[in-house]
Amino acid sequence: MPRTICHPSTIQDYLNDALSPEDEGAVEQHLTDCPVCRQCMTTAAGSGDDWTTITSALRADELDEGRQIVSDQLLWPLTLLGPTDDPRMLGRIGPFEVSGCVGVGGMGVVFKARDPALDRFVAVKVLSPQLAASESARSRFEREARAAAAVVHDNVIAVHQVSEYQGLPYLVMPYLPGPSLEERLRQQGPLAPVEALRIARQVAAGLKAAHAQGLIHRDIKPANILLSGQTERALLTDFGLARAVDDASITRAGALAGTPQFMAPEQARGETTDERSDLFSLGALLFTMLTGRPPVPEASGMETIHRVGSEQPPRLSVLLEDVPRALEQAVSALHCFAPSQRVASAARAESLLESLLPTAGRRPLQRRHATDCAGRQSSLPANLKQLPVWQRWTLIVLVVCLCVAVWSKTSDPPSGHSAATASTGARRRPHDTPGTDSAVTGVTPVDIDPALTEPDSAADGLAARFGRQSSDTEASASSAPELAGSPATEQRPHDTTVPVSSDESESKAADTIKPNPPALEDPDGVQLDALLQSIDRQLEHLENR
Amino acid sequence: MVWPQTSLSMLTRLRDGAEQRCWDQFGALYRPAIFRFCRRLGLQDADADDATQRVLQQVADAFERRPPDLSAGRFRSWLSQVARHTSLKIIQRDHRHRGSGRSEVLQQLNAVAADEDQLQAMWAAEERVALYRRAAAEVRGNCTPAVWAAFEQTSVAGRSIEQVATELGVSAGVVYASRSRVLKRIRHLVEELMRSDTDDHRETV
């Protein structure tokens, strides 16, 4: 289709790598003669400030002492390429002329390349040399890539070709400049239910087609979902690659290629996986789209694997306000710990998600206040384990005292049920087992029994309180050991306040995204603060002995 | 574009059981920042090198001893304090060994370091420079030498478009397009990195 070259949108597309090779050449030629487009290109690339900031950061000054400013050490993916005759290209893989490297991951390198036969850009994914060294990983990669090539569906990225170049298997896919779901979430935060469901439904449809061919994806995560242009089509990529990585035994060495945050529990435990494992990951994906963060926070590979394999996944309503019941049930039905209780097939998942679309909300669901604590809370057991046993117990006793103190100060007495839940949570803490985190917040981990999905507002109110305390305690608990003996101990008074970002843009971003920063605003909070400080002091005292 | 790891998640990984790869990444990003920071505190080239090595060692030790708190600004503040402390020690050592000549420097160092805000602002600036340079290295690794040269020669070195075009044997339009493309990619990478940093901060604040 012919395009107007002299147009701002063409310039944008050029910078976004969204033009065909032919149009790219035309734009470059056109710029030589068109000062308007030249200006347009410059401002589209970055504001005047951007140009100044970046170029001055890259300019050597007297502090650099003649050292190399921009390292040329990151060129290793290019060593995978063969020589090319075209000076505009980086090299070639088989018949494909490589013009750039789109990404480097644990599994391999993705190049942007020109397909000379059809004069179009394609994405060429080359298995990393380390993985390719394992014979079973290689054959798995090739076998599964061929199987994926057989899946023809709107929501599964097409595999044009599977081949090998200098001992490295590669596959050729359409080049899609659109963002991945991961990028989208990072840029925009949580999605509106209607948008999240639309994407999840398409992923389910893609999985249905793949499962029909006996192909299990095993690595459904936001980075593997590509969003295509304005039509908002979601495409599944990277079939079978997860298995190739497993075969290469890299996982057993502890260096995980991918994130296990979206894995099904049975997969994390190394048990047999089936179609339902993909559906669990789909549930985790939906959870992430709605809340803006994965159900399991990022930690080291082994810790995450352990948590995924042993803990009940969190409920939506623990993190979000006013979750429609049907939506919560749907997420729980997918994101369900026991495979036998999960939605049984991708086809059912698709119709379930489809049925929710007409009533789905158009605005992202609001986060609960206590949500901000969840991330820190989760690291509490890990930090506790770092302390010697007697210190740990001292801390625990202090936390229990604190809980009791605040609870007795609460002006509106909570119902018997929720109080019992909360104190059970506090008492369970000494056992220090992962998986009791949610008990501290007063919310019991729930299987997908629909009767239990009704949010208990009294319990949640208390949960908010206790959530705050435990996480604040955790913050001070970890601050004392960390800073002891380091020069930074001097800034203790500064440290006991909520940490302030020194970066203006960061704090600005945080403000816009998080309308309700957790502040100690209630009267109890003042007391809480004092108690926390005394715990802090005692811990410091313990440390110094 | 894929940045290998955000600095904060990189730190998390270091904390939770370091892989050599993470330390390499950490060093690649922070070594130049620490070096320049120490130079700004008044250290000479070789001393700054020495200080950088010591600071990195202290970071590794700290991570091994017990997991540091990585909440917003805390690590940054801690690291800048360690760097200041280390630089002070080196200047004191030289002062003792070589006699005089450094007292002026020592005074200056004390003056600078006394102001916590200034120290942190200085560190933040160096961290940012290191980020841009690291992102640029990544972009440089992903584009052809000619595209990189079109950007570097015209915008960083400030040479004329026509001259660089002649030298590279391409039209002026190619140079215009290439330099913009490189700048946009660097900007994009840095934005991504900062955004994921703030995301992480949001969860820990």
Side-chain angles (χ1 to χ4, degrees):
Chain A
M1 145 179 86
R3 276 189 84 105
T4 326
I5 295 300
C6 188
H7 194 275
S9 74
T10 312
I11 302 284
Q12 273 300 346
D13 287 344
Y14 179 90
L15 288 172
N16 292 331
D17 288 308
L19 294 183
S20 69
E22 190 191 344
D23 287 341
E24 277 199 354
V27 168
E28 287 162 358
Q29 225 37 62
H30 172 71
L31 285 186
T32 309
D33 311 312
C34 178
V36 178
C37 281
R38 282 206 295 258
Q39 187 53 43
C40 180
M41 174 76 90
T42 307
T43 41
S47 67
D49 267 0
D50 290 330
W51 281 92
T52 321
T53 316
I54 292 176
T55 50
S56 62
L58 301 184
R59 207 165 285 141
D61 59 22
E62 73 285 353
L63 300 182
D64 290 309
E65 299 273 351
R67 283 157 195 256
Q68 190 178 29
I69 304 299
V70 178
S71 156
D72 54 8
Q73 298 301 303
L74 294 172
L75 302 168
W76 72 265
L78 305 189
T79 57
L80 305 177
L81 306 179
T84 173
D85 298 331
D86 186 341
R88 289 170 37 88
M89 295 293 169
L90 284 171
R92 64 193 321 184
I93 293 177
F96 302 99
E97 295 277 1
V98 173
S99 66
C101 172
V102 190
V104 181
M107 294 174 186
V109 184
V110 185
F111 293 108
K112 179 184 178 184
R114 198 175 73 88
D115 178 355
L118 294 163
D119 195 24
R120 61 175 175 185
F121 282 121
V122 288
V124 178
K125 186 161 211 155
V126 185
L127 191 65
S128 90
Q130 289 145 301
L131 290 177
S134 151
E135 186 48 50
S136 61
R138 278 173 51 123
S139 51
R140 171 92 76 174
F141 175 87
E142 289 183 27
R143 197 164 61 239
E144 301 252 351
R146 282 181 217 289
V151 181
V152 179
H153 191 273
D154 268 358
N155 301 114
V156 177
I157 198 160
V159 174
H160 295 322
Q161 190 182 337
V162 184
S163 189
E164 195 180 296
Y165 178 73
Q166 295 184 338
L168 296 180
Y170 68 87
L171 52 91
V172 183
M173 299 170 293
Y175 177 80
L176 296 175
S180 71
L181 178 56
E182 187 188 32
E183 287 168 307
R184 165 69 61 83
L185 289 173
R186 214 180 306 164
Q187 282 161 16
Q188 294 185 0
L191 304 182
V194 66
E195 215 180 334
L197 285 166
R198 219 176 272 153
I199 292 171
R201 190 200 61 75
Q202 295 185 62
V203 173
L207 283 175
K208 185 174 73 175
H211 291 170
Q213 303 268 345
L215 192 66
I216 303 170
H217 191 291
R218 299 223 319 173
D219 196 19
I220 302 283
K221 59 182 179 187
N224 280 342
I225 313 291
L226 291 181
L227 302 174
S228 170
Q230 288 85 19
T231 53
E232 280 305 300
R233 186 153 69 103
L235 289 109
L236 260 169
T237 67
D238 269 1
F239 270 95
L241 296 187
R243 286 197 179 199
V245 171
D246 270 0
D247 279 357
S249 77
I250 285 202
T251 40
R252 284 186 283 284
L256 275 154
T259 165
Q261 286 167 300
F262 297 87
M263 260 186 197
E266 63 272 18
Q267 197 178 345
R269 291 193 300 263
E271 294 163 12
T272 24
T273 52
D274 57 20
E275 289 87 349
R276 291 172 300 181
S277 312
D278 278 350
L279 298 179
F280 180 93
S281 306
L282 173 60
L285 192 75
L286 188 52
F287 183 98
T288 308
M289 288 192 277
L290 293 167
T291 61
R293 47 179 271 186
V296 182
E298 166 142 18
S300 70
M302 282 308 148
E303 190 190 328
T304 313
I305 282 221
H306 177 75
R307 291 189 60 161
V308 170
S310 62
E311 288 180 18
Q312 290 285 345
R315 276 195 303 154
L316 271 187
S317 58
V318 174
L319 291 165
L320 300 173
E321 304 263 12
D322 304 325
V323 182
R325 195 172 161 159
L327 182 62
E328 169 134 51
Q329 282 178 6
V331 173
S332 300
L334 290 163
H335 200 204
C336 169
F337 192 80
S340 58
Q341 292 177 325
R342 228 172 269 159
V343 174
S345 70
R348 281 204 197 168
E350 188 190 1
S351 55
L352 173 66
L353 296 167
E354 177 92 60
S355 72
L356 295 175
L357 268 172
T359 54
R362 300 185 172 276
R363 288 220 193 114
L365 297 167
Q366 287 295 310
R367 274 202 197 186
R368 284 185 190 284
H369 287 228
T371 308
D372 293 294
C373 305
R376 287 195 293 178
Q377 228 176 54
S378 59
S379 53
L380 181 53
N383 282 325
L384 269 178
K385 276 180 221 151
Q386 301 291 330
L387 294 169
V389 175
W390 64 277
Q391 284 186 14
R392 204 188 299 176
W393 278 98
T394 314
L395 175 66
I396 287 157
V397 171
L398 286 168
V399 170
V400 172
C401 292
L402 175 72
C403 292
V404 171
V406 172
W407 177 64
S408 61
K409 291 278 171 200
T410 313
S411 50
D412 45 340
S415 73
H417 161 71
S418 42
T421 322
S423 55
T424 316
R427 260 187 273 116
R428 278 165 66 181
R429 173 58 66 197
H431 297 294
D432 193 21
T433 41
T436 53
D437 286 3
S438 48
V440 177
T441 63
V443 180
T444 357
V446 174
D447 262 328
I448 48 136
D449 183 352
L452 290 172
T453 52
E454 190 77 75
D456 179 340
S457 57
D460 284 341
L462 200 71
R465 257 177 223 291
F466 277 83
R468 273 212 58 71
Q469 288 161 26
S470 52
S471 59
D472 278 343
T473 318
E474 188 265 324
S476 27
S478 58
S479 71
E482 175 239 338
L483 296 168
S486 78
T489 342
E490 297 153 28
Q491 0 144 223
R492 176 131 309 274
H494 175 73
D495 284 338
T496 47
T497 60
V498 175
V500 180
S501 167
S502 63
D503 188 312
E504 197 187 283
S505 65
E506 280 169 9
S507 50
K508 217 184 288 166
D511 283 345
T512 50
I513 302 168
K514 190 183 59 181
N516 298 311
L520 298 168
E521 59 217 342
D522 55 322
D524 286 344
V526 181
Q527 220 158 10
L528 196 70
D529 218 12
L531 270 162
L532 285 169
Q533 278 178 15
S534 86
I535 290 186
D536 219 351
R537 275 195 300 276
Q538 296 196 42
L539 263 174
E540 211 177 338
H541 180 65
L542 293 175
E543 270 300 309
N544 292 337
R545 283 227 307 240
Chain B
M1 281 295 167
V2 177
W3 185 269
Q5 238 133 37
T6 71
S7 55
L8 230 119
S9 65
M10 176 169 73
L11 293 176
T12 313
R13 273 165 216 236
L14 288 181
R15 184 187 66 184
D16 298 338
E19 301 158 25
Q20 189 53 45
R21 202 162 47 96
C22 287
W23 281 112
D24 292 347
Q25 283 178 2
F26 180 81
L29 183 64
Y30 281 98
R31 184 183 290 277
I34 298 170
F35 174 81
R36 285 176 54 92
F37 184 68
C38 294
R39 293 267 297 123
R40 273 225 209 178
L41 291 178
L43 294 191
Q44 293 304 309
D45 188 41
D47 285 345
D49 249 344
D50 187 10
T52 306
Q53 199 50 44
R54 289 185 192 201
V55 171
L56 286 173
Q57 190 54 52
Q58 287 178 68
V59 174
D61 289 348
F63 272 88
E64 200 171 67
R65 254 198 333 271
R66 49 171 56 103
D69 179 358
L70 302 177
S71 49
R74 191 74 75 81
F75 181 75
R76 184 174 287 160
S77 145
W78 179 77
L79 195 59
S80 60
Q81 293 283 351
V82 171
R84 162 190 162 264
H85 191 70
T86 311
S87 303
L88 257 174
K89 269 188 169 170
I90 287 183
I91 289 186
Q92 275 165 347
R93 177 198 68 188
D94 288 357
H95 185 60
R96 268 201 303 278
H97 284 189
R98 295 177 204 166
S100 60
R102 293 289 182 108
S103 55
E104 204 177 288
V105 183
L106 189 61
Q107 257 174 3
Q108 178 204 354
L109 189 55
N110 274 325
V112 169
D115 185 352
E116 168 69 15
D117 287 344
Q118 197 191 346
L119 194 72
Q120 290 232 31
M122 254 169 69
W123 171 255
E126 288 310 333
E127 204 179 343
R128 197 164 307 180
V129 166
L131 257 178
Y132 278 116
R133 292 181 174 187
R134 179 73 186 165
E138 185 103 346
V139 172
R140 182 182 183 176
N142 294 343
C143 64
T144 62
V147 168
W148 177 256
F151 166 74
E152 193 185 38
Q153 291 298 310
T154 59
S155 54
V156 183
R159 299 174 60 205
S160 84
I161 303 273
E162 288 69 27
Q163 203 180 358
V164 173
T166 319
E167 222 168 80
L168 294 172
V170 294
S171 69
V174 171
V175 175
Y176 275 114
S178 303
R179 72 201 284 255
S180 294
R181 192 175 241 178
V182 169
L183 186 104
K184 200 222 145 187
R185 285 182 186 171
I186 296 177
R187 185 169 65 90
H188 186 70
L189 256 182
V190 171
E191 272 168 14
E192 289 261 292
L193 191 62
M194 289 188 162
R195 191 153 33 211
S196 40
D197 247 19
T198 17
D199 283 355
D200 289 346
H201 285 177
R202 209 170 58 231
E203 301 208 341
T204 43
V205 165

